[in-house]
Amino acid sequence: MMFLKYLPTVQEPRLYMALERTYLGYFKLLFLSIGTGLISARLAILFKALHYAALGHFFTELFYWLSWPAIALIFVVTFRFMSDLEYIQEGSPVAEKEIIDPRVYMAAERTFLAWVRTGIGLIAFGFVIEKFDFFLEQLSIMLHTRLVMGAGFSGMGIVFILLGVTNLVIGGINFIRTVKKVDEGTYHVHKFLYGLYGVILLSITIVLAAMIIHVSP
């Protein structure tokens, strides 16, 4: 919907849920980009300590290119989601028979699974980020090189894990409420859940940005 607003729209449950899945994909991609940037920053420290200046410079640049554009895009994508949501709500309502439909239930399941995949992906990546320092410490011992990672890196993986857990919780609540509404023959977007998720998402992004500024090589 971000690029196709010239198309007609209706207040159809599957369209709302498709919008959710699309933007969850955007958010997952952007946070994985930030996480990859954080790992690149650690690799830059490693290669500089090993006196591979070219590789150190490469990973430093990669850190900047992956992290900051993704952080900025999270804000853009969040507001675009709200804009697309309002655009769909301008469409015509659908009949009850279009709501109580097996395809709507299956769409709700797919949407819930999208929340779960995003949550698990963020949690897994959070563990990778947290344990990457341990890996580098062990590697530095093997190479007889002292690495100073800095205290600022500590806790960044926890931020990803918290966001992943948030996805699982909000996705579960969203699924239960959606099925309940569909059973009743009505469907309304869960603006409160969207708003809550948006506040948490943007707050976590701001925290990550502050932490990244602190550890920028």
Side-chain angles (χ1 to χ4, degrees), residues 79-91:
F79 289 108
R80 291 297 303 186
F81 171 74
M82 301 308 297
S83 174
D84 283 353
L85 194 62
E86 291 179 4
Y87 175 70
I88 295 176
Q89 289 180 303
E90 293 173 0

Side-chain angles (χ1 to χ4, degrees), residues 139-161:
L139 184 62
S140 66
I141 292 172
M142 293 172 59
L143 298 174
H144 306 289
T145 302
R146 185 172 180 271
L147 294 179
V148 180
M149 300 304 299
F153 280 113
S154 178
M156 287 188 174
I158 301 298
V159 174
F160 278 77
I161 293 170

